[in-house]
Amino acid sequence: DAQSLINHKTLRVLDFGCGPGTASLAFLAHLASNKTLPLSIEIDLVDSQTKVMEIAKNLIQNFGMKNRINLNVSTHRNLDTLEKSYDIAFAVNVLNELPSDNNDREVLLQVWDRVKGVICLIEPAHRVASQRLIRFRSRLIEDANKNNIRLHILAPCTHQLACPLYRSKHWC
């Protein structure tokens, strides 16, 4: 559960496709509001746009928990080069931003492979992004079942069964 993540001495966070750091900042604000801060937080920001990562870095450094946060900035597109695992990962608008090819899910599978706790995927609610998220969700379920990995999907479906909209023209 989420509380067990926070009980770590060091909480490792990956913000993949971080943009201006919105997901990391919201998570830090949540931790601060609940007064459940780990001793230290390592945040790895990954994005292809260096200027926007600088904005994220400045916003997070000025958040007010400077002494607790170790911040790394990277333009890695291939996460296989990263040696660490993470307690929580965010990927916000990543499928929406990636080129529409067959490798879009492979990038997020690299994120999935690095997470030992929670992965939070957030995409806009429009047809193309929703269909890409449905396909990725199906792939996660397939991989989890094949490798006997515990997977719990919270939304938009609250089950781990096949999506009834997979391979249809409809979306949610």
Side-chain angles (χ1 to χ4, degrees):
D1 68 42
Q3 188 61 42
S4 66
L5 292 176
I6 296 166
N7 291 335
H8 290 244
K9 286 184 179 179
T10 299
L11 181 63
R12 291 188 175 93
V13 178
L14 173 63
D15 193 344
F16 185 78
C18 66
T22 308
S24 291
L25 287 165
F27 183 62
L28 291 172
H30 173 73
L31 293 177
S33 71
N34 288 316
K35 299 181 178 30
T36 53
L37 297 171
L39 292 176
S40 69
I41 304 168
E42 289 182 11
I43 301 175
D44 285 359
L45 300 173
V46 178
D47 201 294
S48 61
Q49 305 294 318
T50 54
K51 286 185 179 184
V52 78
M53 275 195 300
E54 283 302 313
I55 293 169
K57 182 178 174 182
N58 290 332
L59 288 170
I60 291 169
Q61 286 176 335
N62 292 316
F63 184 74
M65 298 191 310
K66 205 179 240 184
N67 60 337
R68 289 182 190 258
I69 298 174
N70 179 18
L71 193 59
N72 301 303
V73 177
S74 171
T75 56
H76 287 34
R77 170 74 181 216
N78 185 340
L79 293 179
D80 288 339
T81 59
L82 296 176
E83 294 295 323
K84 62 171 89 154
S85 64
Y86 299 91
D87 301 303
I88 187 164
F90 297 100
V92 178
N93 292 327
V94 171
L95 285 173
N96 186 51
E97 298 286 330
L98 288 172
S100 183
D101 61 21
N102 290 336
N103 293 326
D104 58 355
R105 292 171 293 174
E106 299 306 316
V107 173
L108 284 179
L109 286 172
Q110 291 178 26
V111 173
W112 168 248
D113 288 342
R114 295 282 177 267
V115 177
K116 303 299 180 223
V118 175
I119 184 171
C120 178
L121 305 174
I122 300 173
E123 294 293 328
H126 61 72
R127 186 179 55 82
V128 174
S130 292
Q131 288 175 336
R132 290 173 93 180
L133 190 57
I134 288 168
R135 287 192 305 270
F136 181 69
R137 178 190 181 278
S138 296
R139 177 74 183 269
L140 274 183
I141 292 169
E142 179 184 306
D143 286 358
N145 289 340
K146 185 169 64 174
N147 297 308
N148 201 26
I149 297 171
R150 187 175 146 233
L151 175 68
H152 184 75
I153 296 173
L154 300 176
C157 300
T158 57
H159 59 81
Q160 279 60 250
L161 303 173
C163 177
L165 300 178
Y166 186 57
R167 298 192 194 280
S168 85
K169 65 180 181 175
H170 301 290
W171 53 281
C172 60

